[in-house]
């Protein structure tokens, strides 16, 4: 089960690129307000993940890396 939910940094980078593409697409189609809403939601999720990871005992770059994986690692499953 643990192996099934494992994420990689490559998958997280892909998720980041897809997310940036979608925010730019929202900006082009829906205007700046929609891009800010979607980008803000992603930023909020990253901040919440960072707070949760820091509360779990990780500090510094290890916490940032884990929050990055939690936020964007979903693309590794695509």
């Amino acid at each position: 089960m643990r192996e099934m939910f494992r994420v990689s940094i490559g998958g997280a980078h892909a998720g980041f690129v897809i997310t940036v593409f979608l925010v730019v697409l929202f900006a082009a189609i829906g205007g700046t307000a929609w891009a800010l809403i979607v980008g803000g939601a992603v930023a909020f999720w990253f901040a919440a993940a960072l707070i949760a990871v820091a509360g779990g005992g990780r500090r510094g770059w290890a916490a940032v890396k884990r929050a990055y994986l939690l936020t964007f690692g979903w693309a590794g499953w695509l």
Side-chain angles (χ1 to χ4, degrees):
M1 189 62 119
R2 186 178 184 121
E3 186 64 32
M4 186 172 88
F5 288 113
R6 189 171 301 252
V7 294
S8 67
I9 196 74
H13 290 329
F16 178 74
V17 169
I18 292 169
T19 302
V20 168
F21 175 75
L22 287 175
V23 170
V24 169
L25 186 66
F26 269 94
I29 294 174
T32 336
W34 281 106
L36 289 174
I37 291 169
V38 173
V42 172
F44 176 78
W45 181 262
F46 179 79
L50 187 59
I51 290 169
V53 168
R58 294 188 193 261
R59 297 285 183 251
W61 284 111
V64 172
K65 181 180 177 183
R66 179 61 60 183
Y68 182 76
L69 288 171
L70 287 170
T71 305
F72 301 109
W74 53 265
W77 298 326
L78 295 179

